[in-house]
Amino acid sequence: MQIFIDSAKLEEIKEAYNAGILDGVTTNPSLIKKAVEEIKKRGDGIDMEDYIKEILKTAHNARVSLEVTEYIYDKMVEQGRKLFKMFNPAAKNVYIKIPANPSFEGEKGKEFDGLRAIKTLSQEGIPVNCTLVFTPEQALLAAKAGAKIVSPFAGRIDDYLRTKNNIAFDKSDYYPADGKNDLNDNGIVSGIDLVRQIAEIFKKHSIEAEVLAASIRNTRQAREAALAGADIATLPFEVIKELLAHYKTREGMRSFTDDAIPEYVNLTKGRN
Ligand code: E4P
């Protein structure tokens, strides 16, 4: 499974990239807002175009998703084309994020705008990551329209199930993937179940689009996304760091360091 970082913070992207394990970056308007607010809070200015180019160059060889903010077909396509033209030359690694169904106000006649935009951009050779996927059906249609990546939002489905059922939770709380608690959203028992169902359908029907498990909030969910067959998981920086953490690793490090005797440590000193 590939690992992406879910962040627009340059320092985080640099650190993850320098660790040598990063396959990509996902951004969205909220993540960009967070990153820019932090920069402004420090009293620094920002040139958005240069900043995004810096992200792309930092993450060269890794794929970077940039999301449209428009939600009407023509405008999404226009913005998607412009973003791609403006930023892809920097490191040839841009994917354009288009929502599965952008009719957030439930306007009639706009339900297909996302699919149409995915189709148009894909036909022009612009790789699309279909975002805000909450059902296998949306994933299937997005792939059919030409999306190279589909992004089921695991954590947000868990939020939805818990909120609907008056279960108190923190954003990073683990939520069981097994559905033993009998809650479901039209047959989806958890965010990881959503990822699993999409991965199974894609495998069964030889659909080439990659399944990107998004909205992952803890390490157990990341592991379960891998078990569920996700091709990619996008993780917040804190979760990426947590993947390496274990009490026994820290304890072992302490004892091996304390036990290092000079006869052994000095063996390699002064040698080439
Ligand atoms: C993915 O592309 C999204 O940016 C992201 O994973 C959303 O995560 P959240 O639900 O934690 O905001």
Side-chain angles (χ1 to χ4, degrees):
M1 182 175 74
Q2 295 196 14
I3 305 282
F4 284 17
I5 185 169
D6 200 21
S7 174
K9 293 185 185 168
L10 192 52
E11 312 81 59
E12 292 184 350
I13 295 167
K14 278 188 178 156
E15 207 177 324
Y17 192 83
N18 289 337
I21 44 86
L22 198 66
D23 300 300
V25 180
T26 46
T27 68
N28 64 38
S30 310
L31 291 170
I32 289 182
K33 182 178 176 207
K34 241 192 205 167
V36 170
E37 278 176 356
E38 202 174 284
I39 292 168
K40 287 186 180 162
K41 219 161 141 190
R42 293 200 298 255
D44 296 334
I46 181 165
D47 177 317
M48 202 69 245
E49 187 174 337
D50 288 350
Y51 185 80
I52 292 177
K53 283 185 178 159
E54 181 94 31
I55 290 179
L56 297 168
K57 285 183 198 152
T58 299
H60 64 98
N61 299 331
R63 301 180 277 173
V64 179
S65 290
L66 301 175
E67 186 158 347
V68 294
T69 53
E70 300 288 351
Y71 48 90
I72 306 287
Y73 167 75
D74 298 344
K75 294 193 167 167
M76 280 191 289
V77 167
E78 192 189 338
Q79 193 184 20
R81 281 182 187 136
K82 285 184 181 167
L83 283 171
F84 191 74
K85 190 170 167 203
M86 189 182 297
F87 292 116
N88 196 52
K92 304 255 179 300
N93 54 352
V94 171
Y95 274 59
I96 298 297
K97 258 172 134 180
I98 301 284
N101 179 350
S103 66
F104 61 92
E105 279 159 346
E107 312 98 305
K108 295 266 174 291
K110 297 273 181 275
E111 299 87 346
F112 294 116
D113 277 25
L115 293 183
R116 290 174 59 216
I118 291 169
K119 183 152 199 170
T120 302
L121 293 173
S122 301
Q123 281 175 341
E124 291 174 11
I126 297 176
V128 173
N129 170 357
C130 177
T131 190
L132 288 171
V133 169
F134 289 94
T135 69
E137 302 82 81
Q138 289 176 333
L140 193 57
L141 293 178
K144 217 172 160 55
K148 293 264 183 246
I149 294 177
V150 299
S151 293
F153 275 40
R156 291 195 195 192
I157 278 283
D158 294 345
D159 296 348
Y160 183 61
L161 287 171
R162 287 176 289 192
T163 306
K164 256 188 11 176
N165 292 281
N166 301 314
I167 300 169
F169 66 94
D170 279 334
K171 197 177 168 190
S172 61
D173 285 350
Y174 172 73
Y175 184 76
D178 52 24
K180 284 195 180 126
N181 47 27
D182 217 28
L183 308 176
N184 75 86
D185 177 41
N186 196 21
I188 302 295
V189 299
S190 69
I192 291 300
D193 184 43
L194 171 66
V195 172
R196 180 183 306 111
Q197 291 198 28
I198 295 172
E200 273 178 26
I201 290 170
F202 281 18
K203 195 168 172 204
K204 201 165 271 180
H205 296 278
S206 308
I207 292 169
E208 279 175 13
E210 292 170 280
V211 181
L212 184 158
S215 186
I216 298 288
R217 279 82 173 275
N218 55 62
T219 55
R220 190 159 167 191
Q221 230 181 1
R223 179 200 315 152
E224 286 177 356
L227 284 167
D231 299 292
I232 306 163
T234 190
L235 311 174
F237 186 50
E238 287 312 312
V239 175
I240 294 181
K241 282 195 286 187
E242 273 290 305
L243 294 178
L244 280 169
H246 195 277
Y247 171 78
K248 292 299 283 181
T249 307
R250 288 192 295 275
E251 185 193 66
M253 271 311 295
R254 169 55 50 213
S255 64
F256 290 158
T257 305
D258 289 348
D259 290 344
I261 53 171
E263 291 87 335
Y264 182 67
V265 174
N266 293 337
L267 268 179
T268 49
K269 289 220 169 119
R271 303 238 185 160
N272 289 323

